[in-house]
Amino acid sequence: FPSHDMMGVFPNPADDFMHVQLYIPDNKPMSIRLLSIDGKEVMKKNYRSPAAGLQQLYWQTGQYAEGSYQLVIDYGQSHFPLP
């Protein structure tokens, strides 16, 4: 991804849902992972060939325990943790 300027997660903190906004430069396979504070993978969504451009993604998050989580985007051979 060219920059974190085109990425965002809100609301933060999330209650019942999470909205992720990101810019995808081309249609390479991508996955988004939600990691617990101890690094365990809580959720993973795979996208075979997402459309290039600005993407808006939504997930229900009410089933996860309260706490801190890290969202990581795996794109091609690179990994991008979101702030």
Side-chain angles (χ1 to χ4, degrees), residues 62-73:
Q63 72 270 29
Y64 303 119
E66 287 186 22
S68 296
Y69 294 88
Q70 175 74 59
L71 195 67
V72 178
I73 298 174

Side-chain angles (χ1 to χ4, degrees), residues 51-79:
L54 188 62
Q55 299 294 317
Q56 308 282 333
L57 309 170
Y58 299 89
W59 293 291
Q60 295 289 82
T61 56
Q63 72 270 29
Y64 303 119
E66 287 186 22
S68 296
Y69 294 88
Q70 175 74 59
L71 195 67
V72 178
I73 298 174
D74 302 314
Y75 181 73
Q77 299 298 321
S78 300
H79 309 286

Side-chain angles (χ1 to χ4, degrees), residues 1-14:
F1 294 137
S3 109
H4 282 282
D5 295 340
M6 295 297 288
M7 295 185 212
V9 178
F10 51 90
N12 190 359

Side-chain angles (χ1 to χ4, degrees), residues 16-47:
D16 295 329
F17 73 94
M18 173 176 57
H19 173 217
V20 179
Q21 175 180 294
L22 61 132
Y23 176 81
I24 300 172
D26 55 38
N27 63 345
K28 291 180 185 176
M30 174 182 81
S31 67
I32 298 180
R33 298 179 290 137
L34 185 64
L35 306 177
S36 63
I37 195 73
D38 60 358
K40 292 181 183 173
E41 188 174 279
V42 174
M43 181 269 309
K44 182 175 183 178
K45 302 271 183 172
N46 294 310
Y47 299 89

